[in-house]
Amino acid sequence: MASFDTIDDRCTNAESGSSALPRQTSVGGLSSEFELIRQLVAECEEGIRDGRCRRLPGNVAFLKDGRVLCRERARGDSRYPYGDDGFNFWVNASGRMHGNRGLYFLFLPSTEMQEPPITFFFGTRCDETQEFDSHAILPVPYLDRSEDAIVDRYTVLGHDATYFVAETSAMRSVVRVFLDQARPEHAHVNFSVLVQNLTDQPIASYLSGYMNPFCRHQFGETNEDRWFKKISVDSHPASALESKPVQGSAGTVLPPFLITTNEDVDRFRSVTNYALIRRVVSMSEGPSGPAVEVQVQHCDLDNGQPLPVGTVVAQECTSRLGYLGSARRDLSSAEFLRTGKLGLEVPVTVFNENAIMGDLLGFTLPPGGEARADYVLSIPENIEILDLERSRPLGPEGIDASLSRVGKKLQAPGNLQIAVGESREHTIDTEAFNKFLPYLKKQVAICATLKGYMTPSPNALIGFRDVLQAIDAHLFDHPTEARAKILETMGHVLEDGRCPRQYSLPVNGAPGRVDLREFIDQGVWAISTVYNYLAVTGDASILDEQVGYHGFNPSEMSLSYPTDTVDSVLEHLLRIMDYLSRQRDPETGLVLALYGDWNDALDGLGVTTVPDKEFGTGVSVMASLQFYANCAEIVEILSRHSADRFEKEINHYGSLRDQLRNGLFKYAVVAQADERRILHGWGDRREYLVGSFCDSDGLARDGLTSYAFWVLSGMLDEDRSLQEDILAALERLDSRYGLNTFEPGFAPDATGVGRIVKLPVGTAENGATYIHATTFGIAALFLMGQPQKAWQQIAKILPFESHHTDPSHSPFVMPNSYINNVELNLTGQSMNDWQTGCSNVLLKLLIRYAFGLQPQIDKLRISPAAWVPFDRFEIQAVVHGKSITLNYEHADVTQREIELNGVIVEDIAFDDTISTLAATIPYELFASDQLNVISVRDPQVG
């Protein structure tokens, strides 16, 4: 049997990747970290050359400690978001960075055609010309005249920090970026710049930092923003005290930059936003050499004499024009890149010019020596915190200690950890899979805790269905965060039980924006997510939590307001169920499509030509199946919470479930000869069908989600003979990149289906692998006892597998789709990464169906799939407050054996639907004060 590290081993062994975040910090400061990074990169590149390691699509590779090495690529970019609780600081491998918390954008994103809002430069003086050879330490901006001198450039993305590395034959430089949220009141974004002299001669040099903060609650710059943005070299007494040189290894503190922006909330209220950039400079005689005492001066750099070692000449500029040298120049042609000095120092800028933070630190770097400049950006919430921030101690050791704290926090990654052993039949790249899992968990966390506006767009609100699905996966790892977000979503339900499509949080007391288009599926996710929260945590107290509602003014439906009504989460669920039960077609009894369902690109089924009617009688089969499942979920919740009190509702939803079942069999399944298909839905008065043998465009078509949810809802259990028809449909939907959402796609002349026809065939939901839908299909395959087919689909969608030859996004997290239209030069690219629902479905199906950890309301079901592509796996989780480790391996047994804490589980039975043995264990059998170990052994294969 191949060797296999347990999760605990992997947490302490930096040479193994796992879903427990690897330790990625060193205790020796930035120099030691930099040396470790260089060693890891060198080992990785050597491994790639000799075949021990693999370069992943997108010109990236996993380092042995789980970090990601990123080199330049022709298409696309890789990125990582640092932060918690909705604050995200995005760092791209290309060097572009931006950050926001909801609508508040600390830095705006920049595109390929725009200047980056953050960058750092380094230059050395040429003895012959007395001019400076300069380069950007970040990959942007691109300096054409100096890029040839770079002998190596790469970016390393990690869970704790990102490192941008640029090396010449004489110099080595790195920018380290990390976020410290140890203090609850605000975050610190830390930029540490280190340069090393590789020669045996002193070198006249400079470092320069540039930042263009935005600090406003809006999506883009306007001509008026500069009137209300002020940046100054801070002269506050506390800052003046801190700016006095602090000699020795602690470095010398430089004057900070203060950023203020003013925003009007309404006619009566105005707010001031603050940001502070504190700086400290230090030098040493080498990575292990003694510190050099630093003396900071403010004088002319160009006096013809080299600076003594330890003397730093500091220049500050808050004017973009002053920093660049003239209005003609940009960051790639700034005058100081040649001269090594700022032509103009401007201590304060406001009103008539865009204010920036720019500095230039001139010095002589000793032979083999190094210089370091740290920039700590904080965003105090008020003037009191600003004053505290001004007076905080600042030094390189403290900044390195902050990163160490970040690393320690990452070592307690949550309740959920997963690790797998060697791959059987080389189905999955095991090493890459183990290192991918922590990024998948981070991706789910980002989607579950977002504050909206992940992209700078007015419509990028918090998707009601989207966040609930992410919560459904995140609750395995961080149930407390999941609980809080459930309460937030419940608070945005309308009093009639209608759920918004999207909502946003209030800003400075102003009401949040809301999208109230009646996409019918929003509420179904609320019922399922709360049910699953109860199953995983056992925390029934959430049902009694008192939560409010939101309403809207009909004359201004884009804004929502809290109402005076407050009641329990359980009452919210009942109002949602009541709303859904009212939105049914009176003829078929199934759920109306209204504006659309989960597949919101297909938004034409609810349209009607009947005068004075907003919606017709078009039906969503997927939403009907989800509501069918909801009826069973709410009945179980009510039966266990207060059966006597809710006897009427229990009977009502039991009867409604029977009606839905009958309607689905009668109207949603169509037959031709010996073949049956499950419709996606139909239009008003059933005038046309979608997903039928003959749709409105005359084509036979399959729609993935109706087949998937026929299985996921439990409808397949009512007639197992439909399984062969479902499997046949999935075969027709299959493609190079996985199951397509529709096959064939909809051409522009397809009538009645809505805006999906505006999408080119082979993109998004229109005849492409929209991965969120694909993962629904994969879950269905597991539930139909088809684990090998399910894992084949997983291998197709994993972004790091070798058949993805031309990715457009981060190949270590899930993209939202793989588009495929050769005529349009679209061959496997994606629309987006990170913010996509497929991440949460993939994580859930791995836990529940592939690895078989299936929490239920009163018991834990253990049912790993009958075929697993790994020789072993291990899951650590907390279910109903009990710590559990599930170990799986192949052993010398004749049939599956399941043990709890070394004792054979007796309640084990063969499940015909998934073709394997499964056990059910009541929660009272688990110990509360110790780790519970569940061992599953299957017979050896082959």
Side-chain angles (χ1 to χ4, degrees):
M1 182 183 300
S3 62
F4 173 78
D5 290 333
T6 66
I7 289 174
D8 289 337
D9 294 332
R10 289 166 183 263
C11 287
T12 57
N13 182 0
E15 297 189 3
S16 297
S18 81
S19 63
L21 296 177
R23 286 200 172 95
Q24 298 182 334
T25 58
S26 75
V27 297
L30 180 55
S31 295
S32 298
E33 292 171 40
F34 188 19
E35 182 58 29
L36 173 62
I37 291 292
R38 294 184 63 250
Q39 291 176 7
L40 290 170
V41 170
E43 291 174 11
C44 177
E45 295 289 6
E46 182 181 357
I48 290 172
R49 286 191 295 270
D50 64 22
R52 290 180 293 108
C53 301
R54 183 167 73 89
R55 196 177 300 281
L56 306 181
N59 206 19
V60 310
F62 281 121
L63 302 182
K64 69 179 182 181
D65 71 344
R67 292 182 173 101
V68 181
L69 168 64
C70 306
R71 293 194 175 274
E72 188 172 9
R73 51 199 278 196
R75 185 203 299 270
D77 203 354
S78 296
R79 59 180 183 155
Y80 190 92
Y82 296 95
D84 294 308
D85 192 31
F87 179 80
N88 297 314
F89 191 79
W90 292 91
V91 180
N92 288 44
S94 65
R96 299 185 183 275
M97 293 177 255
H98 75 277
N100 71 297
R101 189 175 193 266
L103 188 55
Y104 180 80
F105 279 83
L106 180 61
F107 292 95
L108 285 172
S110 61
T111 65
E112 293 89 345
M113 303 301 294
Q114 296 174 313
E115 285 189 345
I118 305 167
T119 194
F120 300 92
F121 299 96
F122 176 65
T124 58
R125 186 161 59 191
C126 175
D127 292 336
E128 295 180 0
T129 65
Q130 293 299 296
E131 292 186 348
F132 279 75
D133 297 324
S134 301
H135 67 264
I137 306 178
L138 304 185
V140 289
Y142 185 87
L143 306 185
D144 187 55
R145 62 183 176 275
S146 65
E147 198 66 23
D148 288 344
I150 304 294
V151 298
D152 200 10
R153 182 187 286 284
Y154 54 86
T155 302
V156 174
L157 300 173
H159 296 288
D160 56 351
T162 290
Y163 298 81
F164 296 98
V165 178
E167 298 187 21
T168 69
S169 59
M171 305 295 297
R172 187 180 293 141
S173 58
V174 62
V175 174
R176 180 188 67 189
V177 183
F178 75 94
L179 182 70
D180 178 12
Q181 283 187 283
R183 297 187 180 93
E185 64 268 24
H186 61 275
H188 287 149
V189 187
N190 297 268
F191 306 90
S192 299
V193 187
L194 180 72
V195 293
Q196 297 175 334
N197 182 355
L198 303 181
T199 75
D200 57 3
Q201 299 295 318
I203 299 178
S205 313
Y206 78 80
L207 277 174
S208 178
Y210 170 89
M211 298 186 200
N212 183 7
F214 188 59
C215 300
R216 298 185 71 85
H217 293 86
Q218 63 190 54
F219 311 109
E221 289 185 288
T222 71
N223 291 332
E224 297 181 0
D225 292 339
R226 64 184 61 187
W227 301 349
F228 307 103
K229 176 183 177 183
K230 177 183 178 182
I231 299 184
S232 60
V233 180
D234 193 17
S235 59
H236 187 276
S239 296
L241 178 66
E242 276 300 299
S243 65
K244 292 179 180 179
V246 180
Q247 306 299 345
S249 61
T252 299
V253 177
L254 302 171
F257 286 76
L258 175 64
I259 302 100
T260 61
T261 61
N262 295 313
E263 298 182 279
D264 289 334
V265 179
D266 51 36
R267 292 178 61 195
F268 309 101
R269 290 178 298 165
S270 179
V271 297
T272 300
N273 305 310
Y274 300 98
L276 189 70
I277 302 172
R278 297 187 299 150
R279 304 174 296 148
V280 61
V281 61
S282 55
M283 297 181 70
S284 75
E285 294 182 7
S288 58
V292 174
E293 184 175 304
V294 174
Q295 296 282 349
V296 176
Q297 301 178 3
H298 292 267
C299 61
D300 187 357
L301 277 171
D302 192 16
N303 59 12
Q305 299 297 321
L307 293 170
V309 172
T311 297
V312 174
V313 175
Q315 293 183 286
E316 287 93 17
C317 186
T318 61
S319 159
R320 183 177 180 277
L321 293 178
Y323 183 75
L324 298 179
S326 75
R328 297 180 58 207
R329 298 179 182 273
D330 59 22
L331 286 174
S332 64
S333 60
E335 188 175 13
F336 72 82
L337 297 173
R338 178 182 60 83
T339 64
K341 67 174 185 176
L342 298 179
L344 188 64
E345 291 190 76
V346 183
V348 59
T349 298
V350 67
F351 194 77
N352 66 339
E353 188 187 336
N354 185 31
I356 58 97
M357 185 235 76
D359 71 359
L360 190 142
L361 308 176
F363 50 85
T364 295
L365 203 56
E370 59 184 26
R372 172 174 171 174
D374 290 275
Y375 303 77
V376 179
L377 171 60
S378 57
I379 43 177
E381 294 181 357
N382 52 53
I383 191 70
E384 291 78 17
I385 295 178
L386 173 63
D387 288 341
L388 287 173
E389 189 64 26
R390 282 166 160 150
S391 60
R392 291 190 193 280
L394 181 66
E397 291 94 341
I399 294 168
D400 293 342
S402 295
L403 180 58
S404 180
R405 288 194 300 270
V406 171
K408 289 177 181 178
K409 181 179 178 182
L410 292 173
Q411 294 309 307
N415 290 346
L416 178 68
Q417 299 180 49
I418 305 172
V420 301
E422 291 299 318
S423 176
R424 296 163 52 192
E425 304 176 14
H426 305 288
T427 308
I428 302 286
D429 182 336
T430 301
E431 182 179 2
F433 187 76
N434 275 326
K435 291 173 179 175
F436 160 77
L437 287 170
Y439 293 95
L440 180 66
K441 286 206 307 174
K442 173 68 173 180
Q443 187 175 10
V444 169
I446 287 293
C447 296
T449 60
L450 84 168
K451 302 294 185 181
Y453 303 107
M454 191 85 78
T455 57
S457 166
N459 294 324
L461 311 180
I462 301 172
F464 192 87
R465 75 160 76 99
D466 303 322
V467 74
L468 281 165
Q469 290 178 84
I471 291 167
D472 196 12
H474 192 53
L475 60 85
F476 278 99
D477 201 32
H478 291 280
T480 301
E481 292 179 359
R483 189 184 199 274
K485 204 67 175 181
I486 288 172
L487 297 179
E488 177 188 296
T489 59
M490 291 296 101
H492 285 82
V493 176
L494 276 60
E495 290 188 9
D496 66 353
R498 175 179 166 190
C499 300
R501 181 176 183 248
Q502 300 181 95
Y503 67 93
S504 64
L505 304 176
V507 175
N508 293 323
R513 294 186 64 246
V514 66
D515 176 358
L516 290 175
R517 288 176 292 173
E518 291 187 78
F519 284 87
I520 188 59
D521 68 303
Q522 308 301 325
V524 301
W525 302 104
I527 306 299
S528 293
T529 298
V530 172
Y531 178 86
N532 289 333
Y533 175 83
L534 296 171
V536 173
T537 68
D539 174 25
S541 70
I542 194 174
L543 298 174
D544 298 319
E545 284 279 0
Q546 297 296 298
V547 182
Y549 293 87
H550 267 66
F552 61 92
N553 187 333
S555 64
E556 196 175 20
M557 291 185 63
S558 64
L559 300 178
S560 64
Y561 306 84
T563 71
D564 295 331
T565 303
V566 176
D567 60 25
S568 68
V569 166
L570 182 57
E571 291 293 341
H572 280 65
L573 299 183
L574 290 172
R575 293 193 191 210
I576 292 170
M577 289 294 293
D578 184 56
Y579 170 81
L580 290 168
S581 67
R582 299 195 307 269
Q583 312 306 317
R584 292 188 300 134
D585 171 28
E587 179 181 347
T588 66
L590 300 182
V591 177
L592 296 169
L594 302 185
Y595 218 106
D597 60 12
W598 172 88
N599 192 338
D600 46 22
L602 202 147
D603 58 1
L605 299 186
V607 174
T608 183
T609 58
V610 177
D612 302 322
K613 276 205 164 188
E614 185 177 6
F615 301 112
T617 60
V619 160
S620 163
V621 171
M622 176 180 176
S624 299
L625 289 163
Q626 291 177 286
F627 190 43
Y628 170 79
N630 288 162
C631 289
E633 291 164 342
I634 197 68
V635 165
E636 186 169 1
I637 290 172
L638 296 175
S639 298
R640 295 182 180 280
H641 189 69
S642 184
D644 294 339
R645 176 185 168 194
F646 295 108
E647 182 179 0
K648 178 181 176 182
E649 287 82 359
I650 291 169
N651 292 333
H652 170 66
Y653 288 114
S655 174
L656 182 53
R657 190 168 190 260
D658 292 337
Q659 296 174 39
L660 288 164
R661 180 195 303 112
N662 295 336
L664 285 163
F665 275 121
K666 183 175 181 180
Y667 296 102
V669 180
V670 294
Q672 179 174 287
D674 294 330
E675 182 183 346
R676 291 178 291 182
R677 296 196 176 194
I678 300 173
L679 299 175
H680 176 87
W682 52 85
D684 191 22
R685 292 166 289 188
R686 207 172 166 91
E687 291 177 346
Y688 61 92
L689 308 177
V690 177
S692 70
F693 294 101
C694 184
D695 282 7
S696 63
D697 55 3
L699 299 178
R701 179 173 285 108
D702 291 295
L704 175 57
T705 56
S706 55
Y707 289 102
F709 275 87
W710 196 274
V711 180
L712 299 177
S713 68
M715 272 295 291
L716 183 60
D717 295 332
E718 303 294 334
D719 180 2
R720 300 297 306 186
S721 70
L722 271 169
Q723 177 161 317
E724 293 305 314
D725 300 283
I726 294 172
L727 291 173
L730 299 188
E731 289 291 333
R732 295 191 294 268
L733 287 159
D734 200 8
S735 74
R736 174 185 178 184
Y737 301 110
L739 299 171
N740 286 341
T741 308
F742 285 105
E743 186 60 39
F746 297 92
D749 59 352
T751 60
V753 292
R755 67 181 176 89
I756 193 169
V757 301
K758 303 299 183 183
L759 298 168
V761 173
T763 66
E765 300 98 330
N766 191 17
T769 303
Y770 197 79
I771 308 173
H772 199 160
T774 307
T775 51
F776 293 147
I778 294 170
L781 283 169
F782 276 115
L783 287 178
M784 289 188 289
Q786 304 291 319
Q788 286 185 277
K789 290 182 178 180
W791 276 105
Q792 288 168 3
Q793 290 295 323
I794 291 174
K796 287 186 176 185
I797 64 172
L798 289 175
F800 54 81
E801 290 295 340
S802 58
H803 58 279
H804 296 293
T805 57
D806 191 21
S808 54
H809 289 78
S810 309
F812 49 88
V813 295
M814 293 304 297
N816 75 330
S817 62
Y818 296 115
I819 53 184
N820 190 21
N821 186 322
V822 177
E823 294 179 358
L824 298 179
N825 194 31
L826 302 173
T827 52
Q829 297 85 43
S830 305
M831 300 162 58
N832 194 20
D833 61 7
W834 284 99
Q835 189 181 13
T836 168
C838 67
S839 60
N840 72 73
V841 184
L842 177 59
L843 183 59
K844 287 182 291 191
L845 71 86
L846 288 172
I847 297 167
R848 294 180 182 275
Y849 307 133
F851 300 139
L853 185 72
Q854 299 173 9
Q856 299 176 354
I857 295 291
D858 61 347
K859 56 186 175 295
L860 180 63
R861 176 180 161 94
I862 301 298
S863 179
W867 185 87
V868 178
F870 311 108
D871 61 1
R872 297 182 68 181
F873 68 75
E874 179 178 304
I875 298 180
Q876 290 183 7
V878 176
V879 181
H880 277 239
K882 314 295 178 63
S883 296
I884 292 169
T885 293
L886 170 60
N887 292 316
Y888 174 93
E889 65 178 347
H890 290 96
D892 187 18
V893 295
T894 58
Q895 67 174 17
R896 172 170 290 180
E897 293 182 354
I898 300 177
E899 289 182 354
L900 172 60
N901 297 327
V903 178
I904 292 290
V905 175
E906 299 296 338
D907 188 4
I908 184 169
F910 191 82
D911 188 329
D912 291 325
T913 61
I914 59 173
S915 301
T916 192
L917 288 164
T920 54
I921 309 173
Y923 291 119
E924 54 266 25
L925 296 183
F926 291 93
S928 299
D929 56 352
Q930 68 181 46
L931 178 66
N932 296 273
V933 178
I934 301 172
S935 300
V936 180
R937 292 183 291 272
D938 269 352
Q940 297 280 9
V941 178

PDB file of all heavy atoms in Angstrom, residues 9 82 147 515 585 690 723:
ATOM      1  N   ASP A   9      -0.444  14.604  10.247  1.00  0.00           N
ATOM      2  CA  ASP A   9       0.893  14.592   9.663  1.00  0.00           C
ATOM      3  C   ASP A   9       1.068  15.752   8.703  1.00  0.00           C
ATOM      4  O   ASP A   9       2.084  16.439   8.694  1.00  0.00           O
ATOM      5  CB  ASP A   9       1.144  13.281   8.900  1.00  0.00           C
ATOM      6  CG  ASP A   9       1.177  12.078   9.824  1.00  0.00           C
ATOM      7  OD1 ASP A   9       1.530  12.250  10.998  1.00  0.00           O
ATOM      8  OD2 ASP A   9       0.838  10.973   9.346  1.00  0.00           O
ATOM      9  N   TYR A  82      -7.162  37.986   0.017  1.00  0.00           N
ATOM     10  CA  TYR A  82      -6.818  37.946   1.433  1.00  0.00           C
ATOM     11  C   TYR A  82      -7.898  38.687   2.217  1.00  0.00           C
ATOM     12  O   TYR A  82      -8.347  39.755   1.805  1.00  0.00           O
ATOM     13  CB  TYR A  82      -5.448  38.582   1.674  1.00  0.00           C
ATOM     14  CG  TYR A  82      -4.342  37.814   0.998  1.00  0.00           C
ATOM     15  CD1 TYR A  82      -3.885  38.179  -0.266  1.00  0.00           C
ATOM     16  CD2 TYR A  82      -3.782  36.691   1.592  1.00  0.00           C
ATOM     17  CE1 TYR A  82      -2.883  37.462  -0.903  1.00  0.00           C
ATOM     18  CE2 TYR A  82      -2.782  35.969   0.963  1.00  0.00           C
ATOM     19  CZ  TYR A  82      -2.339  36.353  -0.293  1.00  0.00           C
ATOM     20  OH  TYR A  82      -1.363  35.622  -0.923  1.00  0.00           O
ATOM     21  N   GLU A 147      13.274  45.503 -19.006  1.00  0.00           N
ATOM     22  CA  GLU A 147      12.821  44.138 -18.754  1.00  0.00           C
ATOM     23  C   GLU A 147      13.843  43.106 -19.205  1.00  0.00           C
ATOM     24  O   GLU A 147      13.926  42.008 -18.627  1.00  0.00           O
ATOM     25  CB  GLU A 147      11.474  43.888 -19.432  1.00  0.00           C
ATOM     26  CG  GLU A 147      10.717  42.691 -18.894  1.00  0.00           C
ATOM     27  CD  GLU A 147      10.269  42.855 -17.443  1.00  0.00           C
ATOM     28  OE1 GLU A 147      10.150  44.012 -16.976  1.00  0.00           O
ATOM     29  OE2 GLU A 147      10.043  41.829 -16.776  1.00  0.00           O
ATOM     30  N   ASP A 515     -32.626  43.674  -5.667  1.00  0.00           N
ATOM     31  CA  ASP A 515     -33.134  43.198  -6.955  1.00  0.00           C
ATOM     32  C   ASP A 515     -34.331  42.307  -6.629  1.00  0.00           C
ATOM     33  O   ASP A 515     -34.178  41.195  -6.125  1.00  0.00           O
ATOM     34  CB  ASP A 515     -32.038  42.417  -7.679  1.00  0.00           C
ATOM     35  CG  ASP A 515     -32.515  41.802  -8.996  1.00  0.00           C
ATOM     36  OD1 ASP A 515     -33.700  41.940  -9.334  1.00  0.00           O
ATOM     37  OD2 ASP A 515     -31.676  41.176  -9.682  1.00  0.00           O
ATOM     38  N   ASP A 585     -48.948  26.664 -10.967  1.00  0.00           N
ATOM     39  CA  ASP A 585     -49.871  26.620 -12.103  1.00  0.00           C
ATOM     40  C   ASP A 585     -51.122  25.850 -11.687  1.00  0.00           C
ATOM     41  O   ASP A 585     -51.027  24.684 -11.264  1.00  0.00           O
ATOM     42  CB  ASP A 585     -49.168  25.935 -13.284  1.00  0.00           C
ATOM     43  CG  ASP A 585     -50.107  25.657 -14.440  1.00  0.00           C
ATOM     44  OD1 ASP A 585     -51.092  26.406 -14.596  1.00  0.00           O
ATOM     45  OD2 ASP A 585     -49.836  24.703 -15.195  1.00  0.00           O
ATOM     46  N   VAL A 690     -39.419  23.068 -23.399  1.00  0.00           N
ATOM     47  CA  VAL A 690     -37.961  23.205 -23.414  1.00  0.00           C
ATOM     48  C   VAL A 690     -37.370  21.933 -22.823  1.00  0.00           C
ATOM     49  O   VAL A 690     -37.794  21.475 -21.748  1.00  0.00           O
ATOM     50  CB  VAL A 690     -37.499  24.434 -22.607  1.00  0.00           C
ATOM     51  CG1 VAL A 690     -35.967  24.507 -22.575  1.00  0.00           C
ATOM     52  CG2 VAL A 690     -38.069  25.713 -23.184  1.00  0.00           C
ATOM     53  N   GLN A 723     -34.070   5.795 -14.272  1.00  0.00           N
ATOM     54  CA  GLN A 723     -32.620   5.990 -14.167  1.00  0.00           C
ATOM     55  C   GLN A 723     -31.927   5.801 -15.513  1.00  0.00           C
ATOM     56  O   GLN A 723     -31.021   6.573 -15.855  1.00  0.00           O
ATOM     57  CB  GLN A 723     -32.027   5.033 -13.124  1.00  0.00           C
ATOM     58  CG  GLN A 723     -30.505   5.136 -13.026  1.00  0.00           C
ATOM     59  CD  GLN A 723     -29.958   4.563 -11.738  1.00  0.00           C
ATOM     60  OE1 GLN A 723     -30.525   4.791 -10.664  1.00  0.00           O
ATOM     61  NE2 GLN A 723     -28.867   3.815 -11.820  1.00  0.00           N
TER      62      GLN A 723
END
